[in-house]
Amino acid sequence: MTKVLAVLYPDPVTGYPPKYARDDIPKITHYPDGSPVPRPSSIDFKPGELLGSVSGELGLRKYLESKGVDFVVTSDKEGPDSVFEKELVDADVVISQPFWPAYLTAERIKKAKNLKLAITAGIGSDHVDLNAANDHNITVAEVTYSNSISVAEHNVMMVLSLVRDYIPAHKRIVNGGWNIADVVSRSYDLEGMKVGIHGGGRIGEATMERLKPFGVKIVYNKRHQLSPEKEKQLGATYEPDFNKMIKDIDVLVMTAPLTPETYHILNKKTISTMKRGTYIVNNARGDEANRDDIVNALNSGQLAGYAGDVWYPQPAPVDHPWRTMPHNGMTPHMSGTSLSAQARYAAGTREILEDFLDNKPIPDVYLIAQGGQLAGTGAKSYSVAKGQASPGSGKK
Ligand code: NDP
């Protein structure tokens, strides 16, 4: 019997299902590049429902049980006595979301003798040790594009929140205050600022496209330059050298995957070369920034603000300094798991499972690794350093 093990975040403390704010969500049929959103044979959920928590089960139970699959769902993922670690031993498929990552370390992969497929319900498979997965011929797949626009929207929200100093002003009004001088003393217009985008893939492009109407100058850094037509459309200039790009920008937005090259790319040295008062928005991966160097740069005033939803580890411990550092706009990892995004990545997870269970090839666009090497989207966007643990997989 095939066993599928899903590690999902806990249900709302107020109980499941929550009381929804809206009755429906817009029907999106295609992504901005014209490719279709996931198209499984059918779905057993109503788009807009909470699917990413344990009781939501990504809307998969009815389908998986109809296929005779043993479907185990848990949120208990840490340590050797966790349900995840115990159930992993004979699981054929593991499903995990980056918001509540089930770190698939080399040690865990070694114990998972039956494991053939690790699905990321969402985007970003850095919680899987990709070298170990390749060594054990495990296919890694994610639901490419499913929440890229969700994150781009979050990026724009956080850029504006930091530059205009929205969060402290809001807190002040909630607390009964009205001191305008206090709330404007760190509040600027975004117009005219220079924004640097690190990585210019699906999220990066959508972020540039959404920021362009604010009248900003946009510069981007990635390994391969975009086409002249695309650059014109985005109003963006290419800078091949990340270290050069960060020297004269006002805002930096991180959008590249976590790889050996991007691990701790934001550190004391690189931050010290930035203009005093630069803002950083990082909804890419927490470990692209050195934790304490960010805190120190905010305390010294070198950085004017830091916002993001990605941390290491996740969930972040209660004493993680990013919770309390000055001028932060941090949230739990949420940008890619809006109810709108969940509908797409739950459908995409089902599409991948349907292919797997029917012995059909998983589409290239969803593949990160297969047959012992990076494949499909993974071969384009990721890199692995041979013999080293992937930087986000839980082992440094
Ligand atoms: P894409 O694959 O479309 O884009 C990633 C881009 O990063 C590629 O275009 C690649 O371009 C660039 N890149 C890769 N390595 C480097 C590098 N060393 N330096 C500069 N650029 C690099 O993925 P998405 O845009 O959809 O997602 C990107 C990442 O965002 C995910 O991997 C994940 O970590 C994060 N994410 C976060 C979410 C959240 O909820 N907070 C949700 C979804 C994603 P090139 O090859 O030219 O370098």
Side-chain angles (χ1 to χ4, degrees):
M1 187 189 234
T2 302
K3 176 169 166 182
V4 175
L5 171 60
V7 182
L8 305 179
Y9 45 78
D11 283 341
V13 289
T14 46
Y16 188 94
K19 189 168 167 22
Y20 296 106
R22 297 175 57 81
D23 298 326
D24 56 13
I25 59 171
K27 195 167 164 49
I28 309 276
T29 57
H30 290 80
Y31 296 120
D33 69 354
S35 60
V37 298
R39 287 188 291 192
S41 61
S42 67
I43 52 169
D44 300 310
F45 59 85
K46 183 170 177 266
E49 285 175 348
L50 179 63
L51 303 166
S53 75
V54 170
S55 295
E57 299 186 317
L58 293 173
L60 292 171
R61 181 161 298 280
K62 193 170 161 203
Y63 162 67
L64 288 177
E65 287 186 352
S66 77
K67 299 292 277 186
V69 167
D70 177 19
F71 184 37
V72 178
V73 183
T74 183
S75 63
D76 183 20
K77 71 184 182 80
E78 304 301 340
D81 296 328
S82 62
V83 174
F84 170 52
E85 192 128 345
K86 285 184 189 154
E87 297 283 351
L88 182 63
V89 180
D90 59 349
D92 297 277
V93 180
V94 166
I95 304 171
S96 171
Q97 299 168 110
F99 325 104
W100 190 257
Y103 296 109
L104 262 181
T105 57
E107 288 77 17
R108 281 174 162 169
I109 285 176
K110 214 170 164 186
K111 286 186 206 158
K113 300 280 182 226
N114 292 352
L115 192 59
K116 297 165 195 70
L117 174 64
I119 304 177
T120 302
I123 302 174
S125 299
D126 48 277
H127 60 281
V128 179
D129 188 323
L130 294 174
N131 271 321
N134 284 337
D135 289 346
H136 290 80
N137 207 11
I138 294 165
T139 298
V140 181
E142 60 185 49
V143 192
T144 303
Y145 230 147
S146 59
N147 54 15
S148 303
I149 301 304
S150 322
V151 180
E153 289 188 3
H154 221 74
N155 282 340
V156 175
M157 174 186 79
M158 284 184 162
V159 167
L160 286 168
S161 305
L162 288 184
V163 173
R164 302 202 60 88
D165 214 28
Y166 167 63
I167 298 170
H170 176 67
K171 273 190 196 153
R172 196 168 284 265
I173 207 75
V174 170
N175 293 334
W178 188 272
N179 192 326
I180 293 169
D182 279 329
V183 297
V184 298
S185 62
R186 294 182 66 91
S187 180
Y188 297 90
D189 289 356
L190 180 61
E191 186 181 26
M193 286 192 174
K194 189 168 180 184
V195 181
I197 306 283
H198 178 242
R202 295 170 182 87
I203 295 173
E205 273 190 29
T207 303
M208 293 187 242
E209 193 178 16
R210 282 156 180 73
L211 284 174
K212 189 182 169 196
F214 285 93
V216 293
K217 300 179 197 74
I218 300 175
V219 55
Y220 72 96
N221 165 257
K222 67 199 280 290
R223 295 167 305 178
H224 310 95
Q225 186 168 2
L226 296 170
S227 68
E229 298 76 43
K230 185 55 91 179
E231 286 187 346
K232 196 167 170 217
Q233 180 203 329
L234 300 171
T237 311
Y238 182 57
E239 171 50 71
D241 184 340
F242 175 75
N243 291 322
K244 258 195 195 160
M245 178 180 83
I246 60 174
K247 278 186 179 152
D248 72 336
I249 53 174
D250 302 288
V251 183
L252 174 65
V253 184
M254 307 298 287
T255 73
L258 178 62
T259 65
E261 291 83 41
T262 63
Y263 175 78
H264 281 198
I265 193 169
L266 296 173
N267 55 56
K268 191 176 169 183
K269 194 165 160 218
T270 52
I271 294 168
S272 72
T273 67
M274 295 177 171
K275 273 167 68 176
R276 190 185 79 84
T278 303
Y279 302 92
I280 297 177
V281 168
N282 179 10
N283 290 307
R285 281 298 177 261
D287 253 350
E288 292 179 24
N290 177 297
R291 187 191 75 171
D292 295 339
D293 292 348
I294 294 293
V295 178
N296 292 337
L298 287 166
N299 278 320
S300 73
Q302 174 62 11
L303 290 179
Y306 183 96
D309 70 344
V310 284
W311 309 65
Y312 185 83
Q314 289 187 179
V318 279
D319 60 353
H320 195 295
W322 286 6
R323 290 180 186 267
T324 48
M325 62 190 178
H327 314 302
N328 89 75
M330 298 302 296
T331 66
H333 195 163
M334 63 176 286
S335 59
T337 185
S338 58
L339 296 175
S340 323
Q342 288 176 41
R344 286 188 295 274
Y345 71 66
T349 302
R350 169 143 173 190
E351 192 182 336
I352 293 167
L353 283 168
E354 286 181 357
D355 287 337
F356 174 77
L357 294 171
D358 295 346
N359 286 316
K360 289 187 187 152
I362 294 170
D364 255 17
V365 69
Y366 294 148
L367 286 178
I368 299 302
Q370 193 171 51
Q373 57 189 8
L374 293 180
T377 294
K380 293 193 190 112
S381 298
Y382 284 78
S383 64
V384 287
K386 233 359 198 174
Q388 267 179 34
S390 297
S393 64
K395 183 145 173 100
K396 298 283 165 59

